[in-house]
Amino acid sequence: VKVQQSFSIDQPRDRVWEFLLNIPDVARCVPGVEEVEVIDDEHSRVRLTQAVGPMSATFDLKMRITERVEHERLQFTASGKAVKGAAGTVRTINTVSLDDDGDGTRVALDADMAMGGVLGSIGQKVIAKQATGVTTEFAAALERALNGETRAEPTPPSTDGAEVPSPAPGGVRRSRHQIAAPTGGRDGPAASREPWHQDPRVTGLAGLSAGLVVALTIALRRR
Amino acid sequence: LPSAELAATAPGITAASQAPAAPPVTRRGGIGASVARKEDDRLLRGDGRFADDVAPARALQMAVGRCPFPHARIARLDVTAAASAAGVRQVFTGADVLARTDPISVLRPVPGAVPLPFYALASAVCTWEGQPYVSIVAESRHLAEDALDLVDVEWDPLPHVTDTLGALEPGAPVLHPDEMADNLVASNPQGDGDSEAALARAYVIVEDRFHINRVTGLPMETRAVVAQWRPGARELSVDASTQTPHLMRAQLAESLRMDESEIQVRASDVGGGFGLKLGAYPEDVLASLHAISLRRPVKWVEDRLEHFRATTHAREAVHDFRIAADRDGRMLAMTDTYTTDLGGQNSPFGSAQLSSIVFTGPYRVSDGTVERRVALTNKTPIGAYRGYGQPEVNFARERLVDRLARRLGIDPLELRMRNLLTPDELPFTNPAGAVYDSGDYPRALAMVAEAIDYAELRAAGRVRDDGRLTGIGLTSFVERTGYASARFLAKRGSRFGAHESVTVRANRSGGIDLYTGVSSIGQSPETAFAQLFAEVHGIAYERVRVHSGDTASSPLNTGAFASRTLIAAAGAIREAAEELRDKTLRIAAWRMHVDPSELVIDGDSVRGGPEAIPLAEIQTAAIIGQGIPPDERPGLEATSHFEPEAAAYAFGSAAAVVAVDSETGDFTVERFVMTHDCGVMVNPVVVEGQVRGALAQGFGAALGEELRYDAETGQLVNGSMLDYFVPTAADVPPVELLHTEVPSPVTNFGVRGVGEIGTIPPGAAIGNAVCDALADFGVELTRLPVTPEAIWRALQHARNRQEAP
């Protein structure tokens, strides 16, 4: 799944950039992150849990920063597998780009996510829905964090992401979503006016996070 | 009853719309009686015995780890943590399997193919997402699955290819570089006549490329195996959900390096096979291997998520079909070059080859060439599935027949009538060498046209009051049932015969035990075999007990597939029943002091005029050898093997009436009428059930089912019941079935096989109906499934084309 999203934030670009370099802080904005271990400048490990209703699943991810262009672009990969469920693997390549937007900063997320094994073949629609909720939470959390609101607790696991109520209003002025044509469609890239494929829009990190939800099905099956 | 006499008395035609055809009156529930199925009582009471119902004491459970990538090398594999996890008894990897087994054999190889060794676990490279690479046996399934999480594996993903034709392009990643230089497994051209000359003189040629969807059969019971080993007795007993117990026994013996006599395979009840359960799968070998090594029973039951990647898929193919005709619509030649997708390995039944055999369908075409190409791709292996190539080629050919009609301005019904072979032209040898035995193809089509009021519908025009458009789609087809002979199969390298066999044994209660290696997969062999036996022997249907699917008690046979069981078994049952009947009558005649010709077996006794002796008395005498003629040997038992001389060709026609919304592509199949002929029907209700069941699967493949792989990641994206749209009862269009009964001259009792034919017409009939409704837009569908989305896209495409200058 290729996903793009951008939103604007009432903070100057250098401040946003600084924040982005702090992996633990950024990771804590992703709903469901339980542990962050920074190994060195480039490598870190993240454990996160996703839940839908009574089901939950936990994933271990290895993250690596692959490109840093100061104040402009940060690229990182994340790959890992289910700690419980043996459901398969997740891989993503993510790019975060910053741009001036008046006094604030436009943050663009660009992600390419692939799920392997059973994980990649269940409930893609459910994942997309979950991702919508997780995305909203992530953006709001990022905004809050950038505004200096400290958080003692890590974000709780996202629940029933599809209908997550809008979190505390921060300075997110607008949130615009775009999604690339789903890959593998029979008839090539979809035209935007098509009535088909009106999937909820998905963001990179959130998509990754939400992707893990599929393992829940398996987790439930097994307990 | 001799078959000639039976043929003469067989009803020429029985038509019924909703109710099954009225059965001819017979004695004792013999041929033609719609007796209650012998299988029903136990299945309806929950008393079936499926593989998972076999629960030996101290059984362990197996779980299998599968590759999450379409194509990857195992870079590192460490199972020490998994092996020491709670409850785990054993872990096998590819290295263990290499050391202990030989590859699993291919039962029906593609002619000309290089053998691709296939082991139960991959030891270096996996060629599809879902290929097993580790097996874990533990005290429970959940402990085994938990241990799978502890397997430390690192993969090196390799370049993959999932597109059927893309796999044959230069530069495509080669799946089996040790054995092959590219992904083309084989290319099998065949044909007859001079199609080039016919094409050259044709007034019109219609041609296109047709894409057939990858689907799966989805039996309600997934695969399952329970293996038990008695080391002292050197006895491996395997309960499996399989269509072919004897073939599986042979494969297990080969793969496990054992003697066949050490292995017993049982398939008691099988919850649907459809071709997916032909031959041994990796898990069958693995469960046996673990059971032998651990000296404890090992069970594996496939879960539904595994099923979507671990059990063979079907159908995916691309057909380049061509029909040449003269000005009057007479078909001059047909050519078809098609590529079937084999997936990542050659499964036991591999590529569906019947597309070649019936590519010209029921038409008078003598000049034709067909070429099958078989391609490897990084997807779950393809295997047999109900229809085995015939629905695929039927869609391509019949879509073009309608296009030909439009091109020439001839009504599609009329065009078909002009080209269908007539009864006096049969037997007919088609360009692929298939010999159509007998039938009345035009009558089948005429019955369908009449049933849907074809003329009236045409006269009423397309446009309805609500703005939707009416379309009518026709299709005519033949279906090969059974195999010609073992000689035919030998030419193709098949590792099984064409025969069926039965052992019949009288018992002292006055009943008959009939033993067959055919497993009961829902096709009602117990019912049909008992009816055939009763017909010939004279005993009551109720007194025949059929024991099926156990290699220890049944004579070596072939198995339940290819609509071949009845054709072959009918001969074996007839011979065995005659032998038993004659001996029974000789003994009875000696005891009654009359000539055997004066006696008949009737229900539960032997009767001669007013006198009758209970069958139990005669059979007991024979079994204990007391009170039988001095020149008779004791015992009342017979085994017979029968190989049919030729395949029989079932046939039919179907019509679909649809209403299409030309704005959205939404459509409704309002009527679906099918005429069907499987020769003499042994049990009309069973026939009806088989045809309707196959139709439901045909509608699924035609209207919604499609296993999709993401081209970029090579990932199966809809491998669950949540994402794969199999029709429910509410989704199946209303079906009206008509039957004709033209006896086959090449089989015992005039029967033809039945079971697969319903999968053939839905795609073609519905596709033609939709294109008929949208003829003014110039819409031509070339892909399955036919969905509102596909129609909407085709409409957009057609509109764009019209708008273009």
Side-chain angles (χ1 to χ4, degrees):
Chain A
V1 190
K2 284 195 173 67
V3 287
Q4 296 175 324
Q5 193 195 26
S6 65
F7 56 91
S8 291
I9 214 157
D10 281 337
Q11 295 285 342
R13 208 158 121 183
D14 52 348
R15 162 118 173 70
V16 175
W17 176 254
E18 222 169 274
F19 181 85
L20 285 179
L21 292 182
N22 188 334
I23 301 293
D25 281 359
V26 176
R28 268 192 281 274
C29 294
V30 179
V33 168
E34 291 174 351
E35 277 175 48
V36 181
E37 180 195 349
V38 177
I39 297 164
D40 57 34
D41 263 8
E42 284 177 2
H43 299 87
S44 53
R45 294 174 103 95
V46 175
R47 169 171 284 215
L48 59 78
T49 295
Q50 283 289 306
V52 173
M55 304 180 282
S56 74
T58 302
F59 279 74
D60 266 345
L61 300 171
K62 288 178 192 162
M63 297 180 72
R64 189 164 81 87
I65 296 173
T66 49
E67 192 189 3
R68 278 197 187 94
V69 181
E70 194 143 341
H71 297 163
E72 271 182 33
R73 193 164 65 248
L74 182 72
Q75 192 176 70
F76 64 97
T77 61
S79 63
K81 63 171 195 169
V83 182
K84 284 287 173 198
T89 58
V90 183
R91 292 162 286 154
T92 65
I93 301 172
N94 311 272
T95 309
V96 184
S97 315
L98 304 182
D99 219 335
D100 289 332
D101 185 14
D103 293 339
T105 307
R106 158 104 38 101
V107 182
L109 301 170
D110 203 325
D112 190 351
M113 176 173 70
M115 289 175 289
V118 166
L119 195 55
S121 63
I122 328 170
Q124 299 290 313
K125 301 269 180 202
V126 178
I127 294 166
K129 274 197 149 190
Q130 169 85 352
T132 311
V134 175
T135 304
T136 315
E137 284 187 60
F138 173 65
L142 198 61
E143 178 75 14
R144 276 198 306 272
L146 280 162
N147 285 334
E149 296 172 30
T150 52
R151 307 176 50 124
E153 301 292 321
T155 314
S158 162
T159 54
D160 295 323
E163 303 298 335
V164 171
S166 206
V172 178
R173 290 206 299 265
R174 61 180 181 277
S175 182
R176 196 179 68 227
H177 309 281
Q178 287 179 318
I179 186 164
T183 53
R186 273 177 305 160
D187 297 293
S192 57
R193 64 198 173 93
E194 292 188 0
W196 314 100
H197 303 304
Q198 286 183 338
D199 304 44
R201 308 313 193 212
V202 184
T203 80
L205 268 177
L208 159 67
S209 184
L212 313 179
V213 165
V214 273
L216 313 180
T217 321
I218 298 143
L220 180 73
R221 216 163 39 80
R222 202 161 274 133
R223 300 301 154 214
Chain B
L1 221 62
S3 65
E5 190 182 333
L6 189 101
T9 56
I13 185 168
T14 53
S17 41
Q18 292 303 329
V25 179
T26 63
R27 339 159 270 156
R28 300 178 299 268
I31 291 175
S34 287
V35 289
R37 295 191 337 139
K38 284 197 181 287
E39 297 87 344
D40 282 343
D41 253 8
R42 66 172 189 271
L43 293 177
L44 292 174
R45 290 166 195 266
D47 248 353
R49 188 173 57 209
F50 300 88
D52 193 26
D53 294 320
V54 178
R58 302 181 65 244
L60 298 169
Q61 303 276 341
M62 183 173 82
V64 176
R66 301 176 187 282
C67 176
F69 296 95
H71 197 191
R73 183 179 302 281
I74 301 171
R76 195 171 59 82
L77 179 59
D78 182 354
V79 297
T80 43
S84 57
V88 170
R89 294 288 162 262
Q90 196 166 43
V91 180
F92 277 162
T93 66
D96 301 300
V97 166
L98 269 181
R100 291 161 196 248
T101 69
D102 286 329
I104 300 170
S105 58
V106 175
L107 293 169
R108 190 163 174 66
V110 178
V114 177
L116 302 172
F118 178 37
Y119 289 90
L121 293 176
S123 53
V125 174
C126 289
T127 53
W128 76 90
E129 187 256 299
Q131 183 170 359
Y133 70 95
V134 63
S135 59
I136 298 182
V137 169
E139 293 292 338
S140 75
R141 174 71 175 246
H142 80 258
L143 289 174
E145 291 195 14
D146 282 354
L148 278 180
D149 292 343
L150 302 174
V151 173
D152 194 359
V153 59
E154 227 171 77
W155 299 95
D156 279 343
L158 301 171
H160 63 268
V161 59
T162 52
D163 184 68
T164 309
L165 296 180
L168 300 180
E169 296 288 327
V174 177
L175 269 70
H176 297 277
D178 291 344
E179 292 84 14
M180 297 168 61
D182 54 26
N183 295 318
L184 181 65
V185 173
S187 175
N188 308 132
Q190 59 190 112
D192 197 16
D194 190 346
S195 45
E196 286 308 314
L199 286 162
R201 70 168 195 275
Y203 173 73
V204 59
I205 295 172
V206 286
E207 61 189 315
D208 214 332
R209 169 166 287 184
F210 297 90
H211 294 263
I212 311 299
N213 43 342
R214 175 177 272 249
V215 300
T216 184
L218 281 180
M220 281 214 274
E221 182 205 19
T222 55
R223 289 189 296 118
V225 58
V226 183
Q228 305 182 58
W229 172 246
R230 279 204 299 155
R234 287 200 65 75
E235 178 193 272
L236 176 69
S237 116
V238 177
D239 287 274
S241 184
T242 180
Q243 296 170 243
T244 52
H246 280 287
L247 295 182
M248 186 188 229
R249 179 184 183 225
Q251 284 180 296
L252 286 177
E254 277 173 359
S255 187
L256 297 168
R257 301 171 185 160
M258 292 172 71
D259 202 287
E260 263 197 75
S261 52
E262 295 166 349
I263 302 175
Q264 176 189 5
V265 176
R266 269 189 308 261
S268 189
D269 278 308
V270 177
F274 312 122
L276 282 64
K277 295 174 180 173
L278 293 176
Y281 276 87
E283 295 84 0
D284 304 318
V285 173
L286 292 170
S288 303
L289 213 51
H290 282 295
I292 291 169
S293 171
L294 290 164
R295 302 183 169 205
R296 282 180 66 176
V298 172
K299 177 186 278 192
W300 174 77
V301 179
E302 185 182 51
D303 73 30
R304 190 57 74 177
L305 289 168
E306 284 185 294
H307 178 79
F308 272 99
R309 60 208 71 227
T311 293
T312 50
H313 295 167
R315 299 246 195 279
E316 187 169 21
V318 182
H319 285 256
D320 288 326
F321 208 104
R322 214 160 32 160
I323 302 178
D326 69 12
R327 196 183 292 262
D328 299 323
R330 262 196 302 275
M331 295 172 188
L332 302 173
M334 289 187 190
T335 68
D336 183 20
T337 302
Y338 66 101
T339 306
T340 67
D341 193 317
L342 195 61
Q345 253 297 349
N346 205 340
S347 76
F349 261 69
S351 156
Q353 157 274 341
L354 288 185
S355 287
S356 292
I357 298 292
V358 299
F359 81 106
T360 54
Y363 302 109
R364 192 182 302 106
V365 175
S366 298
D367 298 296
T369 53
V370 58
E371 179 176 346
R372 169 178 64 158
R373 296 148 62 83
V374 182
L376 289 159
T377 59
N378 292 110
K379 293 181 285 192
T380 291
I382 289 267
Y385 177 35
R386 210 172 191 176
Y388 201 51
Q390 299 176 106
E392 295 93 308
V393 75
N394 192 65
F395 177 73
R397 188 191 61 244
E398 294 293 314
R399 283 292 302 109
L400 283 181
V401 171
D402 264 35
R403 209 181 293 186
L404 180 64
R406 264 194 287 284
R407 185 77 72 80
L408 292 169
I410 302 174
D411 184 275
L413 174 62
E414 169 61 24
L415 181 73
R416 283 185 173 79
M417 282 298 185
R418 284 183 199 175
N419 287 286
L420 283 175
L421 289 159
T422 56
D424 55 325
E425 290 174 284
L426 303 183
F428 175 85
T429 305
N430 82 1
V435 183
Y436 301 161
D437 49 332
S438 72
D440 192 340
Y441 305 162
R443 184 175 61 176
L445 181 58
M447 286 167 64
V448 157
E450 192 188 327
I452 61 159
D453 300 321
Y454 187 83
E456 273 174 49
L457 272 176
R458 279 274 176 249
R462 288 199 174 91
V463 185
R464 299 193 179 186
D465 292 344
D466 63 3
R468 289 189 302 167
L469 302 168
T470 307
I472 312 167
L474 301 172
T475 174
S476 295
F477 42 90
V478 294
E479 183 215 3
R480 192 184 80 181
T481 70
Y483 288 118
S485 67
R487 287 179 299 285
F488 165 83
L489 290 165
K491 274 188 259 171
R492 302 179 168 275
S494 296
R495 303 188 63 237
F496 50 85
H499 73 282
E500 266 309 320
S501 49
V502 292
T503 292
V504 294
R505 192 179 288 162
N507 62 46
R508 280 160 286 198
S509 311
I512 297 290
D513 291 296
L514 189 157
Y515 298 87
T516 168
V518 169
S519 48
S520 202
I521 60 173
Q523 85 285 37
S524 317
E526 297 166 44
T527 302
F529 286 13
Q531 284 186 261
L532 289 173
F533 185 89
E535 176 77 34
V536 176
H537 182 272
I539 194 172
Y541 163 76
E542 293 75 18
R543 302 308 311 274
V544 184
R545 170 91 177 207
V546 178
H547 307 263
S548 66
D550 188 341
T551 60
S553 60
S554 61
L556 278 162
N557 77 328
T558 306
F561 56 94
S563 293
R564 54 167 299 285
T565 303
L566 188 68
I567 290 175
I573 293 166
R574 163 179 249 157
E575 284 178 14
E578 284 172 353
E579 189 179 332
L580 229 61
R581 176 195 66 197
D582 292 348
K583 186 168 182 179
T584 304
L585 292 179
R586 285 199 304 275
I587 295 171
W590 183 78
R591 288 164 76 98
M592 294 164 84
H593 309 290
V594 295
D595 189 81
S597 65
E598 295 169 37
L599 299 177
V600 291
I601 299 173
D602 183 13
D604 57 3
S605 57
V606 178
R607 199 173 292 284
E611 264 190 280
I613 307 184
L615 258 183
E617 188 185 316
I618 309 288
Q619 294 186 173
T620 302
I623 289 162
I624 63 176
Q626 298 172 10
I628 60 172
D631 56 345
E632 285 291 351
R633 291 183 185 183
L636 199 51
E637 180 171 329
T639 295
S640 176
H641 302 264
F642 180 83
E643 181 186 282
E645 283 292 311
Y649 284 79
F651 60 91
S653 283
V657 180
V658 300
V660 187
D661 182 328
S662 63
E663 286 302 312
T664 63
D666 190 28
F667 68 102
T668 312
V669 180
E670 297 183 328
R671 292 187 69 187
F672 191 93
V673 185
M674 174 172 167
T675 302
H676 160 255
D677 189 302
C678 62
V680 172
M681 291 191 275
V682 174
N683 184 321
V685 165
V686 166
V687 167
E688 185 98 357
Q690 286 296 305
V691 177
R692 283 177 183 273
L695 275 170
Q697 286 184 309
F699 287 126
L703 297 173
E705 296 180 36
E706 180 172 37
L707 290 162
R708 288 200 188 188
Y709 282 78
D710 183 283
E712 205 168 310
T713 60
Q715 170 68 38
L716 173 66
V717 296
N718 59 343
S720 78
M721 295 302 282
L722 181 69
D723 305 274
Y724 183 79
F725 302 129
V726 64
T728 66
D731 300 319
V732 175
V735 170
E736 300 156 60
L737 266 191
L738 310 169
H739 299 278
T740 66
E741 275 190 288
V742 179
S744 169
V746 299
T747 63
N748 277 279
F749 310 108
V751 298
R752 293 189 175 89
V754 63
E756 306 183 64
I757 196 164
T759 59
I760 298 175
I766 294 168
N768 280 344
V770 168
C771 293
D772 178 54
L774 301 174
D776 291 344
F777 298 86
V779 164
E780 296 290 356
L781 298 172
T782 57
R783 286 173 184 268
L784 289 174
V786 177
T787 62
E789 175 182 353
I791 294 169
W792 184 86
R793 282 184 194 287
L795 278 163
Q796 295 298 109
H797 181 72
R799 282 182 175 129
N800 290 342
R801 207 176 41 208
Q802 281 170 0
E803 282 165 17

